[in-house]
Amino acid sequence: MDISALILAKNEENMIGDCIKQLDFVKEIIILDQNSRDKTIEIANKYNVEILNSSEENFSKNRNLLLSRAKSKWILYIDCDERLSKDNIDEIKTVLSNITYSAYYFPRKNIILGKWLKHGGWWPDYVPKLFLKKKLIKWQGKVHESPIVEGKYGYMKEPLTHYTARSIGSMLEKTIKWAKIEAQLSYEANQPNVNIIKIVKAVILEFSKRYFVKLGILDGTIGLIEAIFQSLHKAAILTYLWEFQNKK
């Protein structure tokens, strides 16, 4: 199919191989490696793929770089930890045979610590993945990046699978890394000063929303763990923001 599959990768030696192998239906695969220190590039070089390198942390800039190198009519962004089923591929073929929309959202099953979380705000978790290249203008946003598209979006029915948060350690690492970046962006946007009341209130509200309002309680122990982590992430953002605001 006339599709360029575009992949961002960093230290993904355990996931990159299977990610590439599932894409045998596309015309080209381009990987942008962000200074991996493991065997990601070594494994990727075993396949017929193009590999780019970038030290940039900004997701939008990296996605735009991949876009600029793609040669196909359609663009498919896929993460190293995402997997397409046969039903996904069949649905993509159907979409390409009858162009109706400029881009498509996919529902996504988030597998956290080995469990598909169906509650807590994690399902159906629609994400934009497939684009008619000429209609995708660019991506914007440093962390929670979003595409600017000329035209309308369609919605796929078949969900892809997202093997995110595969260990407590990786969850903590990701929380700390992205909380600091989000706090920096909030600081640059002159957000109101943080105090202990705001932090406590934000943590309680986030946990209550995830665990009770959005029924994370129905996902058992892992639903509880994830609600705690989302609360921790919110607390980390505000704590970093407090630090930025009070540096002498």
Side-chain angles (χ1 to χ4, degrees), residues 155-183:
Y155 287 81
M156 295 292 204
K157 294 180 180 178
E158 298 297 333
L160 58 83
T161 302
H162 184 208
Y163 291 98
T164 185
R166 298 184 294 278
S167 70
I168 295 292
S170 67
M171 292 169 71
L172 280 170
E173 183 179 355
K174 186 181 295 185
T175 290
I176 293 169
K177 177 181 179 180
W178 296 118
K180 190 170 186 177
I181 294 174
E182 291 180 60

Side-chain angles (χ1 to χ4, degrees), residues 81-124:
D81 56 4
E82 292 176 335
R83 298 293 178 265
L84 298 166
S85 67
K86 181 181 180 301
D87 290 334
N88 285 133
I89 296 171
D90 288 343
E91 191 172 17
I92 290 171
K93 290 178 180 178
T94 300
V95 164
L96 267 60
S97 67
N98 182 24
I99 300 175
T100 306
Y101 297 99
S102 299
Y104 289 85
Y105 277 88
F106 285 64
R108 188 166 64 171
K109 294 181 179 179
N110 286 291
I111 311 299
I112 296 176
L113 299 177
K115 179 182 178 66
W116 172 23
L117 293 194
K118 302 177 184 179
H119 307 92
W122 289 105
W123 172 255

